Amino acid sequence: MAIERTLSIIKPDGVEKGVIGQIITRFESNGMKPVAIRMQQLSRADAEGFYAVHKERGFFKALCDFMVSGPVVIMVLEGENAVLKNRDLMGATDPTKAAKGTIRADFAKSIDANTVHGSDSVENAKVEVAYFFRTTEQCAYEWKR
Ligand code: CMP
């Protein structure tokens, strides 16, 4: 399996709830290493740019309003099959449909306030990581097999 990088965001509801540590623990205990982490208050331009792919969708304004409502934690996670693994750990976008034991099932309260974002493909992960982190801000991790 390939070592991949994926972008993860702990959204304002996760930060507000005080579950940053619990969420990062789930990543670490499932074989993913954070190689970049930053806490940030997104500007509206940051949020609209990041979610530009959704700009024609009816939920775009509510999504951006929510993403600027408080600080977020933005991370690059590295590990085997990281993109898919992160999505499995997050659970379905709509927390009412998320499998038991997933981050969204355990912490999220609505499809907007759904606690975490994760890249949906290796290709998009590259774009999303580059949106928030310069190469020099990402650390190298030496995997011991
Ligand atoms: P996220 O993984 O961050 O990607 C886009 C976000 O839009 C998604 O999580 C949800 O928080 C939000 N969203 C709101 N309504 C919808 C919807 N109907 N379909 C998909 N995403 C939605």
Side-chain angles (χ1 to χ4, degrees):
M1 253 187 266
I3 298 286
E4 296 170 352
R5 289 186 174 187
T6 190
L7 190 85
S8 169
I9 303 178
I10 303 178
K11 298 188 179 188
D13 61 311
V15 174
E16 165 69 25
K17 254 186 212 120
V19 294
I20 296 170
Q22 289 186 59
I23 292 171
I24 294 177
T25 296
R26 290 185 187 210
F27 296 144
E28 290 183 315
S29 55
N30 282 279
M32 287 189 287
K33 299 277 187 197
V35 293
I37 301 185
R38 182 168 71 242
M39 189 162 196
Q40 185 176 333
Q41 170 63 57
L42 297 182
S43 66
R44 186 157 290 274
D46 291 332
E48 289 181 354
F50 182 71
Y51 283 120
V53 65
H54 297 304
K55 68 175 183 292
E56 305 304 334
R57 307 287 295 272
F59 59 80
F60 182 68
K61 185 177 180 302
L63 171 62
C64 293
D65 286 348
F66 178 66
M67 291 302 286
V68 302
S69 68
V72 297
V73 175
I74 313 167
M75 278 174 282
V76 181
L77 300 172
E78 184 178 280
E80 281 191 351
N81 226 5
V83 172
L84 205 64
K85 195 175 280 178
N86 183 33
R87 291 186 72 78
D88 285 347
L89 292 173
M90 289 193 301
T93 306
D94 179 349
T96 64
K97 299 188 179 124
K100 208 166 160 250
T102 59
I103 294 169
R104 284 167 170 159
D106 290 346
F107 301 122
K109 63 172 192 283
S110 70
I111 196 165
D112 289 309
N114 66 351
T115 313
V116 277
H117 166 82
S119 309
D120 65 2
S121 66
V122 173
E123 196 179 46
N124 284 341
K126 290 195 171 84
V127 175
E128 293 188 353
V129 165
Y131 187 81
F132 283 117
F133 293 99
R134 285 190 279 268
T135 311
T136 51
E137 294 173 309
Q138 299 170 49
C139 297
Y141 182 79
E142 197 177 319
W143 290 91
K144 291 168 188 65
R145 290 162 191 268

